[in-house]
Amino acid sequence: MPHPTQHHRLVDVPGGRIHLVEQGEGPLVLLVHGFPESWYSWRHQLPVLAEAGYRAVAIDVRGYGRSSKPRDVDAYRMLELVADNAAVVRALGAETATVVGHDWGAGIAANSALLEPDVFTAVGLLSVPYAPRGGPRPTDAFAMIGGPDEEFYVSYFQEPGRAEAEIEPDVRGWLAGFYAALSADTMPSPSDGPSPHFVPRDGRMSDRFPPHSGLPSWLTEADLDFYAEEFERTGLTGALNRYRNVDRDWEDLAALDGAPITQPSLFIGGDQDASTTWMADAIKAYPQTLPGLVSSHILEGCGHWVQQERAYEVNRLLVEWLGAVHGTA
């Protein structure tokens, strides 16, 4: 059932249209999801932020849900997604916003703050730590992570059509396995075999999903139905095209090499999430890379889907941070 005070809208942006769901009145908070998700990933945050006095807006990122799905792969480069975010703020009649992102949404949020600092005056990052642009070309770096018998999942996602051929025959089943693989209460243990972040050569990512059945505790059958119905309708290509632009982003954002984010910021990660543990050095570098950091939190016993796995804690931390940023704490 739709929430009676939530409103769905389509707004025009230079690249087409963005679907969003908004709730509440007050300072604008733009919520940006990751892969493979939806505006619905913020279902627990929208009413809480609205009750706290904010205009909470969760978007379907370009390529997802009811938002536009351009055919060209390079239409999903970071510059385009940042432009979408800024255009959404303008379409909503606002001049500034706080932007909060999870997973790929964290990267989109971070670059929104870097490229549009007059629009995005504070930034919250969930699950994926901020690391400034730099280092070798991303696909070269990812190629070195794999071995003769397996490849890193980002490399697996690079070839158009390859991951789609695995996922789209059974979208619901694949999503259930993927969500479970990165959730603290259902992720595979080392005794179950290699990490699902690595794909067997000539194999499938789902070969590394948890061998047991059952959904993670945060995901109901109805929640899974929602996600599955969205991707059965749209396909996965738009979502996967984000991964297929990592080299273009590296080239496009060369001027931001090593750039810190100076706006007030927040980080929330899970201690069971590979995104957090693999990037521990990025978190240690926050005094230099996030000089405006207000608070950083690692949630014990939490996996990748932080705002869904630990909605109460994340809501509390978001409201506290927003209160500090807006002087209402």
Side-chain angles (χ1 to χ4, degrees):
M1 290 288 291
H3 196 287
T5 60
Q6 288 178 355
H7 304 285
H8 290 252
R9 293 176 58 179
L10 292 171
V11 299
D12 292 330
V13 298
R17 69 176 185 275
I18 293 293
H19 168 247
L20 59 85
V21 179
E22 60 180 323
Q23 186 171 359
E25 298 293 336
L28 179 59
V29 180
L30 189 69
L31 303 169
V32 186
H33 67 80
F35 174 89
E37 299 185 83
S38 157
W39 75 265
Y40 187 77
S41 306
W42 302 101
R43 62 194 177 281
H44 302 301
Q45 284 68 52
L46 287 165
V48 172
L49 295 181
E51 179 66 24
Y54 299 96
R55 185 184 186 186
V57 173
I59 66 169
D60 277 333
V61 172
R62 177 186 297 213
Y64 289 82
R66 292 166 57 193
S67 293
S68 291
K69 299 161 195 65
R71 301 186 69 161
D72 293 341
V73 174
D74 64 2
Y76 296 85
R77 68 208 312 160
M78 187 62 70
L79 292 178
E80 299 282 358
L81 302 180
V82 170
D84 286 347
N85 280 357
V88 166
V89 173
R90 291 191 292 270
L92 294 174
E95 294 183 358
T96 62
T98 295
V99 61
V100 179
H102 169 256
D103 183 77
W104 260 123
I108 299 168
N111 283 288
S112 295
L114 286 166
L115 293 166
E116 297 281 358
D118 294 335
V119 177
F120 298 103
T121 54
V123 58
L125 308 174
L126 275 56
S127 294
V128 176
Y130 175 62
R133 186 263 188 212
R137 183 176 296 274
T139 53
D140 294 339
F142 295 138
M144 292 189 296
I145 297 175
D149 300 321
E150 60 187 13
E151 59 188 320
F152 193 48
Y153 78 100
V154 180
S155 299
Y156 176 65
F157 285 163
Q158 290 301 305
E159 182 184 343
R162 185 181 177 197
E164 289 94 325
E166 172 186 347
I167 301 167
E168 291 179 357
D170 180 16
V171 169
R172 193 178 193 277
W174 192 91
L175 289 174
F178 189 77
Y179 296 146
L182 303 186
S183 298
D185 60 343
T186 49
M187 64 175 54
S189 67
S191 62
D192 291 328
S195 165
H197 293 93
F198 294 90
V199 181
R201 298 281 179 185
D202 302 320
R204 304 176 304 167
M205 191 176 190
S206 55
D207 294 339
R208 300 284 173 82
F209 287 172
H212 46 75
S213 60
L215 300 181
S217 58
W218 60 268
L219 185 70
T220 68
E221 294 286 349
D223 294 333
L224 181 58
D225 285 342
F226 182 92
Y227 286 121
E229 287 167 6
E230 290 287 271
F231 287 110
E232 284 167 354
R233 177 169 50 81
T234 65
L236 271 291
T237 296
L240 289 162
N241 279 344
R242 175 83 291 274
Y243 292 92
R244 296 163 184 161
N245 277 278
V246 290
D247 284 349
R248 288 187 185 90
D249 296 340
W250 185 77
E251 294 166 357
D252 288 342
L253 303 173
L256 297 178
D257 197 84
I261 295 174
T262 59
Q263 295 97 315
S265 56
L266 165 75
F267 176 72
I268 306 173
D271 72 347
Q272 301 300 306
D273 182 9
S275 299
T276 299
T277 56
W278 287 349
M279 298 184 70
D281 288 346
I283 296 173
K284 291 177 183 177
Y286 278 171
Q288 292 75 45
T289 61
L290 292 178
L293 185 68
V294 175
S295 59
S296 179
H297 311 270
I298 304 296
L299 305 185
E300 184 176 353
C302 182
H304 183 66
W305 318 103
V306 288
Q307 78 269 36
Q308 298 178 87
E309 287 189 55
R310 301 290 274 276
Y312 177 82
E313 287 176 78
V314 169
N315 289 345
R316 176 178 59 81
L317 294 171
L318 281 173
V319 170
E320 289 177 356
W321 174 67
L322 288 165
V325 168
H326 292 277
T328 58

